[in-house]
Amino acid sequence: MSLRMSRSMTCLLAAVATVAAPAAAQSSDDDAITVAGSYVDAMRASDFDGMATLMHPESLAELREIFAPVLASNAGPDIISAIGLPPPEELSSMSDTEFFAAFMRGIVTGDSTMVEALRQAQADLLGSVPEGADTVHVVYRMRMKVEDVEVSEMGVLSLARWENTWRGLLAGDLAGLAAMFQGIVEEDE
């Protein structure tokens, strides 16, 4: 895999959201940095179910909505297969949480180089920036080695209040990914 592709995959992982076991239910005094740290740890461990439990329910539904046109298209089965997702009929029966986990599993596990890079990655949570009372952006630096090349990326994981804790939001980069897939769909039809 090329360094450019590796960086793109790292950015995508951070966009989709960015302790080897899922975090326990967070208490009201848990802050966004703690939740972000649990998310990054789950990502590093390829714990896709754990990542999904740390996502905001509206973002989980949004991911499914972004890919709905792809799933319904003639090109859908080929795109789904290329991503490494289960067949459309299986995807349609999944909950939003299961869909997110399957999506992340397909993207990450399809590239053994990325799995190993994430497993050995170092993540430093640098701080947070509040945006109103219900949204916070956690800034982090992820350092990893991809094909013997040291990569250091700054990232932001946005979170929103949900019940008595914080949960991850999808980043705008997914809109670009959805547009790319939509372009493929339109070309095929």
Side-chain angles (χ1 to χ4, degrees), residues 27-40:
S27 68
S28 61
D29 63 349
D30 283 335
D31 65 5
I33 291 177
T34 301
V35 175
S38 295
Y39 183 89
V40 170

Side-chain angles (χ1 to χ4, degrees), residues 4 11 42 79 117 134:
R4 183 173 183 215
C11 290
I79 294 171
D134 295 330

Side-chain angles (χ1 to χ4, degrees), residues 73-89:
S73 73
N74 293 333
D78 291 335
I79 294 171
I80 291 165
S81 176
I83 295 173
L85 294 174
E89 56 279 357

